[in-house]
Amino acid sequence: MKPYHLGLDVGGTNLAAAIVDNDFNILSHKSIPAGAGRDWQAITADFAAASRAAIDAAGVSIEDIECWGIGMPSCIDTRTGLLVNAHQFGWKNVPIREWLKPLLPLDVRIDNDANCAAYGEALAGAAKGRANVIMLTLGTGVGSGIIIDGHIFKGADGMGAEIGHSTLVQGGRTCNCGRKGCVEAYCSATALIKRGREIFGDACTNAKSIFDKALSGDGRAVDLIDEYATYLAYSLSSVTAIFRPEVLILGGGVADAGDYLLDKVNALMPKATYNGETTGVPPVVRATLGNAAGLIGAAFL
Amino acid sequence: MKPYHLGLDVGGTNLAAAIVDNDFNILSHKSIPAGAGRDWQAITADFAAASRAAIDAAGVSIEDIECWGIGMPSCIDTRTGLLVNAHQFGWKNVPIREWLKPLLPLDVRIDNDANCAAYGEALAGAAKGRANVIMLTLGTGVGSGIIIDGHIFKGADGMGAEIGHSTLVQGGRTCNCGRKGCVEAYCSATALIKRGREIFGDACTNAKSIFDKALSGDGRAVDLIDEYATYLAYSLSSVTAIFRPEVLILGGGVADAGDYLLDKVNALMPKATYNGETTGVPPVVRATLGNAAGLIGAAFL
């Protein structure tokens, strides 16, 4: 393996690129606006521009870089490099790997951003040294990544691992994806804030304000966080019954709210999980790398 | 690989043993009562007795047998051979592999019976030639088996793949396991019959009678089967979002009821599954091997 890796984390707002060494240190970091809405030629040219800037800033030679790993918020067929559906860019069924190949003389590897984040946390973060890890990122939606025996698990055709769109309450709340009762419709930050608005009115615009109210003793906020923790615990218990991971990681702004939520979820897990009181349950921990997780995970695809 | 395999399928009622050749033909089949309730020395002695009878009936030499594969309705730590919990025999945390070793001069391999059934169907039945398969067995409970890249997937510690105890309706019906809202509480044959009794009274004692009523045009039975098919479709869609298998298999008495149920489930799947209308969904098919699936799967552990 060559000494350096190039990771690109493609978001709806920014394109972030980094050079990472084999000890998972980030040697350089460059971020530019994603400029969603422009045509694909312009945007993918900027994929390369951000990446070249990171290479220059690190002062490494392109010959010493193992690969160009890219994490994108998209359903990707990783066997063929086909980007099946990237909502934020309005791209469907585009051969993204072929587009990108001419832009940098490096092997292009591409995967879903939530897979990359889970992989980064397993390599260098909250689950460092663990080979079997599941991570949920609680944000606008619920991203998920599954690591089995040290490898990203993506399902038979590379388009799976969508825990956010497994069912938590059949026939329940309508999800962004059009289905009813998805984990995402209950466990995303958006879902929590929406419930907060129902209770506290339009002044409730973020998850932190709900946690602050709960911590200051507001009974309605305590009840709401209890409800949310229960949704999370049952979502995590379902994947635990199936995967029995060594550790479960929560990422995203909601997870950063503090130990209050994590403590509740961990307390619920033994009863919520099949055979949990007999066989034990994995600890639920907070992601530690923040945005770097996706970059490191992408760099090591 | 040696030419023959010995499989033992341990049920609460019967112990069935078979010699299977490398083309998955069953050369002999012996079944004796399980005699649950007796002490473990007597029952495991009968594991060996049934198995020796199958060897004798096939007329093969024990030297030509690859292994003694055993499928049991139990949570098993397959790394250590520890049988964590076998409800039907009242056994907990017993080192089953060590118990069995002295009884037959063969390498002992042991796994959950639902895993064995899925593996058998993938090797020689409804999913022959497919490497990525999920099977649900709809009976008293909901057994499940997951095949990834041709191998039984059991989770990181060998005790996973319990789809029946993932959540379908959080906070919903109480399951046999004590949790609420499990797939098993909605999709087992028992759950269907229980709903049938609520509608049709105590005369409703089996699933077939409900299907018969529906086929003869009873609107309440049609509605009940529609409800049950929806539970099944959403359970299958959750694992499809995660595993993207090539084929989904339904086993057990309910699945044998005919195409009526399968047609409904298949019709529901594209809408029920995340991105299902864009990326396609796996076909839901009926198991074809019946009880032989568990024997063949066990024999090839």
Side-chain angles (χ1 to χ4, degrees), chain A residues 228-250:
Chain A
Y228 181 70
T230 306
Y231 291 139
L232 273 174
Y234 275 83
S235 300
L236 295 169
S237 74
S238 287
V239 292
T240 299
I242 293 172
F243 290 96
R244 303 280 311 167
E246 296 162 73
V247 58
L248 295 158
I249 304 175
L250 297 182

Side-chain angles (χ1 to χ4, degrees), chain A residues 132 148 153 155-157 160-162 165-170 177 179 230-231 234 237-238 241-244 272-274, chain B residues 132 148 153 155-157 160-162 165-170 177 179 230-231 234 237-238 241-244 272 274:
Chain A
N132 297 282
I148 299 178
F153 175 75
D157 64 3
E162 292 285 358
H165 300 284
S166 63
T167 300
L168 179 62
V169 183
Q170 196 225 295
C177 74
R179 297 172 71 247
T230 306
Y231 291 139
Y234 275 83
S237 74
S238 287
I242 293 172
F243 290 96
R244 303 280 311 167
T273 306
Y274 178 60
Chain B
N132 296 282
I148 300 178
F153 175 75
D157 64 3
E162 291 286 359
H165 300 285
S166 62
T167 300
L168 178 62
V169 183
Q170 196 226 295
C177 74
R179 297 174 70 248
T230 305
Y231 291 138
Y234 275 84
S237 74
S238 287
I242 294 172
F243 289 97
R244 303 279 311 167
Y274 179 61

Side-chain angles (χ1 to χ4, degrees), chain A residues 38 45 77 148 222 235 298:
Chain A
R38 296 179 296 158
D77 186 336
I148 299 178
V222 171
S235 300

Side-chain angles (χ1 to χ4, degrees), chain A residues 221-301:
Chain A
V222 171
D223 289 349
L224 175 53
I225 301 297
D226 283 348
E227 174 190 285
Y228 181 70
T230 306
Y231 291 139
L232 273 174
Y234 275 83
S235 300
L236 295 169
S237 74
S238 287
V239 292
T240 299
I242 293 172
F243 290 96
R244 303 280 311 167
E246 296 162 73
V247 58
L248 295 158
I249 304 175
L250 297 182
V254 172
D256 292 337
D259 289 333
Y260 184 72
L261 177 67
L262 276 178
D263 288 349
K264 282 183 190 277
V265 173
N266 275 304
L268 289 164
M269 283 296 287
K271 260 202 181 313
T273 306
Y274 178 60
N275 274 340
E277 291 169 304
T278 313
T279 59
V281 292
V284 183
V285 303
R286 188 183 303 118
T288 60
L289 298 176
N291 292 332
L295 279 167
I296 294 172
F300 280 82
L301 281 174

Side-chain angles (χ1 to χ4, degrees), chain B residues 131-162:
Chain B
N132 296 282
V133 177
I134 293 179
M135 176 168 168
L136 298 186
T137 302
L138 313 171
T140 312
V142 173
S144 59
I146 300 170
I147 309 298
I148 300 178
D149 291 340
H151 300 282
I152 298 174
F153 175 75
K154 295 174 275 205
D157 64 3
M159 293 188 281
E162 291 286 359

